Structures are given as structure tokens and as C-alpha cells.
Amino acid sequence: MLKILENIQLKPYNTFGISAVAREFAEIRSKDDAIELVKSGVLKGKLHLVLGGGSNILFTGNFDGIVINVLNKGIQLIEEHDDYVLVEAAAGEVWHDLVMWTVAQGWGGLENLSLIPGSVGAGPVQNIGAYGVELKDCFHSLKAIDLETGKEIQFNKAECSFGYRDSIFKRELKGRILIHAVTFRLSKRPQLKLGYGAIKQELEFTGINKPTVAEVSDAVCRIRRSKLPDPAITGNAGSFFKNPVVSATSAKILQNQYPGMPVYPQPDETIKLAAGWLIEQCGMKGYREDDAGVHPKQALVLVNYGNASGFGIISLAGKIQNKVLERFGVKLEMEVNIF
Ligand code: FAD
Ligand code: NAP
């Protein structure tokens, strides 16, 4: 029998470490728990939030509804072929544990996504990405429960409408489904992606010139540990803003004004700018207002130095957006989910 808890403090459930109280709270440990929750009718007429590891969320006040924490576990090989495998993972698995499991088998695909916090189930929601790889590159399908009907629905890759840190689950289906399992297609003959950020230098530095998936994963972990704040020590939700994508013409105008500005041409001829660089140019890197701050090593990450409120963080985010808009004419869109 599924238990609904009341008045639960959410501070341990979000990596920003923000205090907020959920009026109700349910733990989902299986697909059947999710179906029971919907069929019981307790969600009817209530605000609800499906929560994984809380590493991409900012609470700006108490949550006057029901938080549904997905905790189901299990990773299994479901198909093996000559050159690829299909692996299904329960949504409540820790993402990095899944990556480590696949890396240990020598299967390629997820190694560049090592050490991203959070759960497997949240991965497809924002099509997590790092070091030139996105979840969609290895995605096969997912299974979800419709939070209105309690029915199971399956989504293939095309049906997820994956985009840059984006999917149908962040837009049309926002809050309408609970993902309970995700299947990945991984390669038995990995094609490693090393040409992004500091991976190559890190491997060269350690004298590795023909890396394995495990060595790439280790390199990614080392780079991330050296640059990013550990939420266990300093509250944060990773990049607070998405990197803005602008037209080639707008990028050219900005480049004439700011010749040192990094630009990343996209396959559709638009240009991705580095939001962290734009924020830094506005003098905001390391900036702090009470306990809300901009990380001194990575300006894209907003941090809670201890007792910041969600309101404090969102006010700081607004200030950054205004400064970047004033100086560069570029609107920064938030990547973190605000509740
Ligand atoms: P939560 O924060 O719990 O939820 C995020 C969103 O997904 C919410 O809208 C929630 O409702 C929804 N959701 C969660 N679980 C489910 C489910 N089972 N079914 C349906 N909806 C669900 N992100 C990257 O893309 N790349 C990075 O490199 C990266 N690095 C990070 C580094 C740090 C230090 C931190 C703190 C964050 C980083 N992130 C990164 C952001 C974050 O880790 C990812 O977005 C992650 O996928 C969030 O997982 P979560 O389980 O914590 O999701
Ligand atoms: P970085 O390597 O210092 O790069 C800064 C920015 O430039 C990144 O945002 C990245 O865009 C972009 N970039 C760098 N090399 C690129 C290339 N060859 N082609 C296209 N774009 C390039 O970034 P970092 O902060 O240390 O992060 C490393 C990786 O981890 C990045 O992919 C980043 O997205 C990911 N990360 C994400 C989060 C999050 O919460 N979303 C948090 C930490 C790290 P992209 O961001 O588009 O890759």
C-alpha cells in the first residue's frame, strides 16, 4: 500500500539545498506504485511534481501539492547483437551508476556523460549532454505512466522530439507523465568522441593515446571534479542557463564587436554562444549577493553558499539575464526547472 507523507522538508531532495516544504510526498519504488498512485485518485486537482535526484530544480517557495519521488531500481541487458546491445534501466537508478555499469562492460556511448548528477528517468527530460554527446545519441526508447489515466505509454526516439537540452517532456508533456524505464542502445565497437573540451589534453597528460571507454570516462570525471562545484559541499544545479543559439548574422555582428567571443557553428547554420563567457564579460563571475552567487570557476553555475532562498537565486538569475541582454542583446533562457 502506497504511503502519502505530509509536510516533508525538501532541502535534502534538491542539490541547490533550498528549504521548501512539500504538502504531500510519495515514494515510487515500482511501476505498480506509479499506477496505484494515479488510480487512487490522490493526484486529482492537485499540483504535482515528478522528482528524481533534484539536481535540475529550483524551489522558489513551498510546494503546495504532491511530490512524486521516483526510486525504482534495476539495470538489465535486454538484447545482445554482434555490434550493439540494448540495456534497460529503471528511472530511479542513479545516472552515474548506470554509466559506470555500462563502462565496466566495455560498451560505448555513455562515457562522455559520466558524473552527471541525477536519475536515469530525468535524463531524457532535458536530453542531458556533455562533451559533445547527448543522451539522444544512445537512446532507444522509454516507458512511462500517463499521470491522468495510469496507462503505460512507450516512446521511441522520434516521439521524444529531442533538442538541445530539450525534449517533448519539457514542453507539451511537461508534468503529464512519469518515466519509469529507459532503454539505451550501446556499442560493442565504441567510436570514442574525444574532440570536445579538455578530454584530449587530459588523456595526453596521462600518457594515453589509444583510450578505452573506461579511460575516457575517468578523464571526464577528473575534468568535471576539477571544474564544477560538488553539490554535497556547495549547493547548485549545474548550468543555470542554456547556451543561447543565435543566427549567423547576429553572431557576426557580435564577433566584430567582441573578437575574442567563442562561437560554435551548429549543423543548421545557427551559432551557439557560450553563456558562461557572456556572463563573465558582464563582470558577474564570482559575484555574490548574500548566500546566492555565481560560481568563481564557471559563471554558468549559480550557487547557494548556505542559506540562500529560491527567491534569492531567481533574483540573481534575473539580474544576470538583464545584464547580458543589455550588453549583448542576447536573451539567456533558464535550463533549471523552476517550481
Ligand atoms: P530532477 O532535478 O529531479 O528533475 C528534473 C526535471 O525532470 C523535472 O522537471 C522533473 O519533473 C523531471 N523528472 C525527473 N524524473 C522524472 C521521471 N522519472 N519522469 C518524468 N519526469 C521526471 N545536465 C546536463 O545535461 N549535462 C551536464 O553535464 C550536467 N552537469 C551537472 C553538474 C552538476 C554539478 C549539477 C548539479 C547538475 C548538472 N546537470 C547537467 C543537470 C542535471 O544533473 C540533469 O538535468 C539531470 O538529468 C537531472 O536529474 P534529476 O534526477 O536530478 O532530475
Ligand atoms: P567547457 O568545456 O569549458 O565549454 C564551455 C562551453 O562551450 C560549453 O557550454 C560548451 O557547450 C561549449 N563548447 C566547448 N567546446 C565545444 C565544442 N567543441 N563544440 C561546441 N561547443 C563547445 O564547459 P564546462 O562548463 O567545463 O562543461 C563541460 C561539458 O559538461 C559541457 O558539454 C557542458 O554542457 C556540460 N555540463 C553541463 C552542465 C549542466 O548543468 N547542463 C553542468 C556542467 C557541465 P555545451 O554546454 O553545449 O556542451
Side-chain angles (χ1 to χ4, degrees):
M1 179 69 182
L2 194 63
K3 260 209 220 143
I4 310 285
L5 307 171
E6 289 184 1
N7 299 321
I8 296 298
Q9 173 54 251
L10 295 171
K11 193 169 174 146
Y13 294 96
N14 72 96
T15 61
F16 248 127
I18 300 289
S19 281
V21 174
R23 186 141 67 86
E24 292 183 306
F25 190 96
E27 290 184 345
I28 299 300
R29 295 188 182 274
S30 66
K31 174 175 105 174
D32 290 345
D33 279 355
I35 295 171
E36 183 187 335
L37 183 76
V38 180
K39 297 260 157 113
S40 70
V42 291
L43 299 182
K44 286 244 152 35
K46 282 182 196 161
L47 265 182
H48 59 261
L49 160 63
V50 180
L51 184 70
S55 63
N56 203 13
I57 269 185
L58 178 68
F59 291 109
T60 53
N62 290 337
F63 190 77
D64 190 23
I66 179 162
V67 169
I68 308 164
N69 195 195
V70 181
L71 296 169
N72 60 329
K73 300 285 180 207
I75 301 176
Q76 53 175 330
L77 173 65
I78 54 170
E79 274 183 35
E80 179 153 17
H81 301 268
D82 285 349
D83 52 359
Y84 73 92
V85 291
L86 294 185
V87 170
E88 183 182 270
E93 283 287 346
V94 170
W95 172 262
H96 184 62
D97 292 352
L98 168 67
V99 176
M100 290 295 94
W101 189 87
T102 63
V103 162
Q105 323 294 321
W107 296 332
L110 303 183
E111 57 280 359
N112 290 34
L113 304 178
S114 297
L115 220 60
I116 296 181
S119 61
V120 166
V125 176
Q126 82 149 2
N127 180 25
I128 50 171
Y131 299 100
V133 172
E134 293 179 330
L135 173 138
K136 76 168 169 51
D137 302 335
C138 298
F139 178 88
H140 177 269
S141 57
L142 66 78
K143 294 177 188 159
I145 300 300
D146 183 321
L147 290 172
E148 184 125 346
T149 62
K151 290 214 171 93
E152 185 170 49
I153 333 169
Q154 297 216 20
F155 292 81
N156 63 27
K157 196 194 270 196
E159 288 163 341
C160 295
S161 302
F162 289 123
Y164 177 62
R165 307 288 187 266
D166 196 31
S167 74
I168 194 166
F169 313 111
K170 257 192 149 173
R171 291 178 274 108
E172 295 89 325
L173 295 183
K174 190 176 162 84
R176 289 178 48 192
I177 56 134
L178 179 151
I179 296 166
H180 74 81
V182 186
T183 298
F184 298 90
R185 181 185 160 127
L186 303 169
S187 175
K188 288 165 92 177
R189 300 192 181 101
Q191 302 277 318
L192 301 175
K193 289 204 178 159
L194 310 177
Y196 202 96
I199 298 184
K200 222 183 227 156
Q201 292 99 292
E202 180 65 24
L203 287 165
E204 277 165 11
F205 181 72
T206 40
I208 296 166
N209 46 37
K210 276 200 166 167
T212 61
V213 281
E215 285 164 340
V216 174
S217 167
D218 283 351
V220 168
C221 290
R222 278 197 302 276
I223 302 167
R224 292 183 70 103
R225 285 198 180 100
S226 72
K227 284 182 88 170
L228 291 167
D230 177 354
I233 299 165
T234 310
N236 75 91
S239 306
F240 199 88
F241 303 101
K242 289 185 190 178
N243 284 325
V245 178
V246 300
S247 68
T249 315
S250 308
K252 195 93 220 125
I253 294 168
L254 282 170
Q255 264 188 305
N256 288 339
Q257 252 180 304
Y258 304 97
M261 181 179 78
V263 288
Y264 301 103
Q266 301 300 289
D268 63 358
E269 296 184 359
T270 57
I271 307 286
K272 185 178 76 180
L273 308 178
W277 187 88
L278 300 174
I279 297 168
E280 196 176 337
Q281 296 305 304
C282 294
M284 301 290 279
K285 194 175 185 178
Y287 177 79
R288 179 169 175 172
E289 277 180 2
D290 299 322
D291 271 357
V294 180
H295 193 255
K297 283 196 197 166
Q298 170 48 286
L300 202 44
V301 178
L302 302 191
V303 292
N304 171 10
Y305 284 109
N307 289 312
S309 63
F311 181 74
I313 301 278
I314 204 85
S315 307
L316 175 60
K319 197 170 269 183
I320 292 169
Q321 283 174 316
N322 287 340
K323 289 219 174 208
V324 169
L325 186 63
E326 245 169 57
R327 172 134 183 213
F328 297 100
V330 173
K331 190 170 182 289
L332 290 185
E333 194 187 322
M334 292 185 205
E335 177 178 305
V336 171
N337 300 279
I338 312 296
F339 287 94

